[in-house]
């Protein structure tokens, strides 16, 4: 779903496949295909019309789509931190995002230039908390087409200064516009250079086994005292 207001209501995995398929995964198990015209309507406003939190029944969705690059990456489109703070049946966006962030190996943080030319204080606080987890961070200033192009360098410099003053490490920072076809300007490193670096085949089985072995190893350590 796209729109001016916050739209992502249900966490969505996005990854490469030969043809577009949208699937829903109910809390009770199983999987079913979601017609694309239905998926495009699953915004905050639409979900609130149900009168209950749809995430209780449908915790997450997957979107398979052909991609020219990033074929070894799975993106998770999250509701964000602020939309659910208004309450209602889509409240709890922050806790839903936190749950999935714990699974992430890297983070792309989106800031809409339609509402701000700086990082909101809430965002800085959350990024500071997440910095403790040592998750690689890339910051994207979205909807850059809504700002005069001559002002983008100043905006990027200001955001970079705010990140550095707050002591938040980041891989790069860019101004991005889907209307103009991509990245308009960046600091440190361009977005797709970083994505290409992250886009490496990995063994999911090995990743899970390493985590299990780390837990077992911690239990096997002799306790002092």
């Amino acid at each position: 779903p796209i729109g001016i207001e916050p739209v992502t209501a249900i966490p969505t995995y996005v990854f490469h496949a030969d043809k577009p398929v949208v699937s829903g995964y109910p809390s009770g198990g199983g999987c079913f295909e979601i017609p694309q015209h239905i998926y495009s309507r699953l915004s905050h406003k639409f979900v609130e019309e149900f009168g209950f939190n749809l995430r209780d029944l449908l915790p997450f969705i997957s979107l398979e789509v052909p991609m020219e690059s990033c074929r070894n990456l799975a993106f998770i489109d999250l509701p964000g931190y602020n939309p659910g703070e208004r309450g209602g049946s889509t409240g709890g966006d922050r806790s839903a995002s936190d749950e999935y962030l714990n699974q992430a190996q890297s983070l792309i943080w989106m800031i809409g230039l339609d509402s701000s030319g700086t990082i909101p204080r809430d965002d800085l606080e959350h990024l500071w908390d997440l910095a403790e987890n040592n998750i690689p961070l890339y910051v994207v200033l979205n909807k850059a087409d809504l700002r005069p192009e001559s002002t983008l360098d100043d905006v990027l410099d200001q955001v970079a200064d705010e990140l550095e003053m707050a002591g938040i490490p980041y891989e790069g920072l860019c101004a991005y516009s889907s209307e103009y076809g991509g990245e308009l300007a960046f600091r440190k490193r361009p977005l797709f250079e970083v994505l290409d670096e992250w886009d490496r085949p990995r063994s999911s089985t090995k990743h899970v086994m390493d985590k299990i072995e780390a837990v077992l190893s911690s239990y096997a350590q002799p306790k002092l005292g």
Side-chain angles (χ1 to χ4, degrees), residues 97-117:
S97 293
D98 282 339
E99 177 185 351
Y100 285 89
L101 281 172
N102 289 330
Q103 305 175 25
Q105 294 173 312
S106 54
L107 174 64
I108 299 174
W109 193 271
M110 308 286 287
I111 299 171
L113 285 181
D114 54 335
S115 59
S116 175

Side-chain angles (χ1 to χ4, degrees), residues 24-57:
Y25 296 84
S27 56
C31 172
F32 65 96
E33 186 169 340
I34 300 176
Q36 293 183 33
H37 72 280
I38 296 295
Y39 173 68
S40 66
R41 297 181 61 194
L42 289 180
S43 65
H44 267 268
K45 183 177 180 181
F46 180 76
V47 170
E48 284 175 351
E49 293 174 358
F50 285 88
F52 61 90
N53 194 339
L54 184 61
R55 282 200 301 263
D56 292 340
L57 300 179

Side-chain angles (χ1 to χ4, degrees), residues 50-174:
F50 285 88
F52 61 90
N53 194 339
L54 184 61
R55 282 200 301 263
D56 292 340
L57 300 179
L58 191 65
F60 65 92
I61 291 172
S62 71
L63 170 59
E64 303 172 45
V65 61
M67 293 193 287
E68 293 183 7
S69 59
C70 301
R71 295 191 175 196
N72 297 297
L73 293 178
F75 297 91
I76 311 177
D77 182 21
L78 297 175
Y81 277 88
N82 296 321
E85 290 302 291
R86 63 191 180 190
S89 57
T90 56
D93 281 349
R94 181 175 300 182
S95 60
S97 293
D98 282 339
E99 177 185 351
Y100 285 89
L101 281 172
N102 289 330
Q103 305 175 25
Q105 294 173 312
S106 54
L107 174 64
I108 299 174
W109 193 271
M110 308 286 287
I111 299 171
L113 285 181
D114 54 335
S115 59
S116 175
T118 62
I119 301 183
R121 182 177 297 274
D122 285 350
D123 287 45
L124 277 175
E125 291 175 357
H126 296 315
L127 289 174
W128 170 253
D129 291 338
L130 291 169
E132 296 180 357
N133 298 330
N134 294 317
I135 299 176
L137 167 70
Y138 197 98
V139 178
V140 175
L141 306 181
N142 197 22
K143 304 178 183 177
D145 52 281
L146 299 181
R147 291 292 182 108
E149 192 166 351
S150 59
T151 67
L152 292 180
D153 282 333
D154 290 338
V155 172
L156 285 170
D157 288 339
Q158 181 172 346
V159 172
D161 287 344
E162 290 172 346
L163 289 169
E164 289 165 8
M165 289 179 63
I168 298 171
Y170 63 100
E171 301 290 317
L173 163 70
C174 78

Side-chain angles (χ1 to χ4, degrees), residues 144-209:
D145 52 281
L146 299 181
R147 291 292 182 108
E149 192 166 351
S150 59
T151 67
L152 292 180
D153 282 333
D154 290 338
V155 172
L156 285 170
D157 288 339
Q158 181 172 346
V159 172
D161 287 344
E162 290 172 346
L163 289 169
E164 289 165 8
M165 289 179 63
I168 298 171
Y170 63 100
E171 301 290 317
L173 163 70
C174 78
Y176 193 94
S177 168
S178 57
E179 290 290 328
Y180 290 172
E183 193 174 60
L184 303 183
F186 68 90
R187 293 294 180 269
K188 280 195 175 183
R189 301 173 64 191
L191 173 62
F192 284 95
E193 177 184 298
V194 173
L195 287 176
D196 184 62
E197 183 177 289
W198 293 346
D199 185 23
R200 295 290 181 266
R202 58 177 58 89
S203 170
S204 298
T205 302
K206 183 179 184 305
H207 179 68
V208 172
M209 290 305 299

